[in-house]
Amino acid sequence: MLIKPFAVLLVIGLVIPGDAGAQQASTPPHTVLVRKNTALMFALLEPLDPVLAKVGDDVPMRLARPLVVDGVRLLPADDVFLARVVKVKQPGKCKGGDVELEFSRVTFADSSTARTKVFFLSPLEDAQVDENYSSHFSASNIPGDLAISLVMSPLDLLAYAFGHDYCPDETVITRPYKTVAVIFTKDHRVRY
């Protein structure tokens, strides 16, 4: 008599976990789409000075804000990534120095990688980095750029014609960079 209830419980125990596992296996993984031109904001662990930088230097940087897409946190803030110096221009007469960084890929928790590029560097710690950049030029900044170009172009032509530079000093002091903005160059799906 005890064998029948025991056999029934054993059969039920084997069927229920197998059925639950089948349901989990048939559920597809969730994905979110990281859109092209989505921006990441990084804080450099050490300021990057164009005078001291050398091509090939690794530049550690900390993600200053998390990457959240459709309510899913894909990259937590404070993760550290490495960029690499690929070009350096030393400061010179009337020109500030400049550094070009390469940061071409981001790897996500699902082991997928997305293409990226450095969008800009800033000497400000709290530089404005929007969450998305649809274009270098937008309707809001064209009037200002146009006005500055209209004013400066005649001055540039006059200075060139007379062989004069209108900078007050021989060299321009370049402030070290502290913030890096990186954008995704293609749409990328991430599983979570």
Side-chain angles (χ1 to χ4, degrees):
M1 284 292 208
L2 289 173
I3 296 176
K4 279 187 181 180
F6 179 73
V8 169
L9 288 174
L10 181 63
V11 169
I12 290 173
L14 292 174
V15 170
I16 290 177
D19 190 31
Q23 288 176 347
Q24 287 176 349
S26 67
T27 305
H30 298 283
T31 61
V32 292
L33 181 65
V34 179
R35 296 252 179 224
K36 177 181 178 179
N37 297 320
T38 298
L40 300 172
M41 178 179 174
F42 290 95
L44 294 176
L45 297 182
E46 295 288 328
L48 181 60
D49 189 338
V51 174
L52 303 174
K54 293 179 182 70
V55 172
D57 285 351
D58 286 332
V59 180
M61 51 191 193
R62 178 185 56 79
L63 190 59
R65 68 172 180 231
L67 174 62
V68 178
V69 177
D70 297 335
V72 178
R73 184 182 304 249
L74 298 175
L75 297 172
D78 296 328
D79 274 4
V80 175
F81 295 82
L82 282 178
R84 183 169 299 241
V85 175
V86 292
K87 191 173 187 181
V88 177
K89 288 183 187 175
Q90 295 294 323
K93 188 174 181 185
C94 299
K95 295 182 181 178
D98 194 22
V99 175
E100 189 176 315
L101 292 180
E102 179 183 78
F103 185 70
S104 59
R105 293 193 174 274
V106 169
T107 302
F108 292 97
D110 68 349
S111 298
S112 67
T113 59
R115 290 191 166 283
T116 59
K117 72 175 181 179
V118 174
F119 191 59
F120 67 84
L121 289 90
S122 172
L124 304 174
E125 281 186 36
D126 56 352
Q128 170 81 27
V129 177
D130 295 336
E131 291 187 9
N132 191 296
Y133 289 91
S134 58
S135 170
H136 290 341
F137 301 104
S138 67
S140 64
N141 67 11
I142 289 174
D145 290 343
L146 184 59
I148 289 170
S149 295
L150 289 174
V151 169
M152 295 306 290
S153 292
L155 294 175
D156 288 338
L157 288 172
L158 284 172
Y160 180 75
F162 291 103
H164 294 289
D165 290 322
Y166 48 87
C167 66
D169 199 341
E170 284 289 318
T171 59
V172 176
I173 296 172
T174 303
R175 293 175 26 196
Y177 297 113
K178 297 179 181 173
T179 302
V180 178
V182 171
I183 60 171
F184 291 91
T185 59
K186 292 183 177 184
D187 288 351
H188 180 77
R189 291 206 177 274
V190 180
R191 292 185 315 270
Y192 67 97

